[in-house]
Amino acid sequence: MNFTVIAHAVEVDHGIKRLSMRFIKKYAAPERSRLSAELCEQITEAFDDLGLITLPRRLPTSENEFVFVIAKASPLGQVIDVATSLVLLDRLGQNPLPRLFENYPEARAQLTVN
């Protein structure tokens, strides 16, 4: 997997880039006929090694879907990390803002890692 092109594109666009899963698959595994959950996990790990995260956090297996690839070190990337931590705390019943996701129901789905 060679995502240096994607990493540079994110950098050029000030820390965020909207990409199709088809485009990402082209750099991840062009020989594969389709995306699998396992391949999406490997892609997520490779992005993490490059200092990138995605939104939604769990990559879709459909090539027709679009995701945002975000630099972790950017302000937006840091906000997404904090929000993801809130989702994990919410799962454990320890969310310090218990009604947060009642007001933003789609946020929980987009920030879910596992």
Side-chain angles (χ1 to χ4, degrees), residues 79-103:
V79 168
I80 290 171
D81 275 344
V82 169
T84 299
S85 297
L86 282 173
V87 168
L88 295 174
L89 285 171
D90 188 64
R91 279 186 175 174
L92 297 172
Q94 299 177 3
N95 187 344
L97 306 168
R99 299 213 301 232
L100 177 69
F101 297 114
E102 289 175 18
N103 295 328

Side-chain angles (χ1 to χ4, degrees), residues 53-59 66-70 80 107 110-111:
I53 56 177
T54 61
L55 193 61
R57 298 287 287 152
R58 177 181 288 152
L59 291 173
F66 284 83
V67 299
F68 290 97
V69 180
I70 304 158
I80 290 171
Q110 295 294 314
L111 295 167

Side-chain angles (χ1 to χ4, degrees), residues 34-81:
R34 62 183 194 89
L35 290 164
S36 66
E38 295 81 22
L39 178 58
C40 287
E41 272 187 46
Q42 292 172 359
I43 293 168
T44 299
E45 290 172 14
F47 279 160
D48 189 52
D49 292 343
L50 291 170
L52 303 171
I53 56 177
T54 61
L55 193 61
R57 298 287 287 152
R58 177 181 288 152
L59 291 173
T61 55
S62 169
E63 292 184 32
N64 297 323
E65 296 288 326
F66 284 83
V67 299
F68 290 97
V69 180
I70 304 158
K72 272 197 234 183
S74 71
L76 181 59
Q78 292 175 16
V79 168
I80 290 171
D81 275 344

Side-chain angles (χ1 to χ4, degrees), residues 4 8 12 18-19 21 34 40 46 53 69 75 90 94 112:
T4 53
H8 290 298
V12 167
R18 183 175 184 254
L19 300 171
M21 287 304 295
R34 62 183 194 89
C40 287
I53 56 177
V69 180
D90 188 64
Q94 299 177 3
T112 301

